[in-house]
Amino acid sequence: MIPAAIVPLIRRAILDLLNDVGGEQNHDVLAMLLAQLGHRIARRDVAEQMRWLEMNGYITAEDIGPFLVSRILADGRDIAEGRLVVTGVWRHKTGD
C-alpha cells in the first residue's frame, strides 16, 4: 500500500514516465522505472494507480495477459508537460 501522502506524487511519476517513454508501457516496467526514481512500489499498487488515472481520463489501461498496459491520453500528456493541474496528481515534474 502506498502512503496517502505520496499517492499524488506516484500518479504524477507514472504520467511523467509514460510521457517520457513514448506514451505506452505496462505496470511491471513502470514499477521498475519507479524504483529507479527511488519509489519502491508493489506492481499491484502501480496497477491500482493506473486504474485511478484511467478512471479520471488521463490514460487508457487494458489487461493484456498478465500485464496492465497503459497509454497516455491528451490530458495526461498535458499534466506531464505542466500545462494542466488537477486534484489528486502532484503538480511538479518528478525525476528531475
Side-chain angles (χ1 to χ4, degrees), residues 2 29 51 54 63-64 90:
I2 302 170
V29 172
R51 291 289 187 201
E54 176 189 37
D63 288 303
I64 300 178
W90 192 256

Side-chain angles (χ1 to χ4, degrees), residues 8-83:
L9 175 67
I10 298 303
R11 291 173 182 160
R12 175 60 190 257
I14 291 169
L15 291 174
D16 289 344
L17 289 167
L18 285 172
N19 196 47
D20 292 347
V21 299
E24 180 176 317
Q25 196 50 266
N26 68 62
H27 77 289
D28 192 58
V29 172
L30 286 171
M32 287 187 286
L33 294 172
L34 285 165
Q36 290 175 3
L37 294 175
H39 305 295
R40 295 184 57 192
I41 308 295
R43 286 182 292 276
R44 69 179 180 179
D45 293 332
V46 173
E48 179 183 323
Q49 296 311 311
M50 290 167 64
R51 291 289 187 201
W52 186 92
L53 290 165
E54 176 189 37
M55 199 172 67
N56 285 278
Y58 309 135
I59 66 172
T60 63
E62 177 182 6
D63 288 303
I64 300 178
F67 301 105
L68 180 62
V69 177
S70 61
R71 291 173 192 87
I72 196 165
L73 297 174
D75 279 351
R77 191 170 305 278
D78 283 346
I79 293 167
E81 294 175 357
R83 292 189 297 264

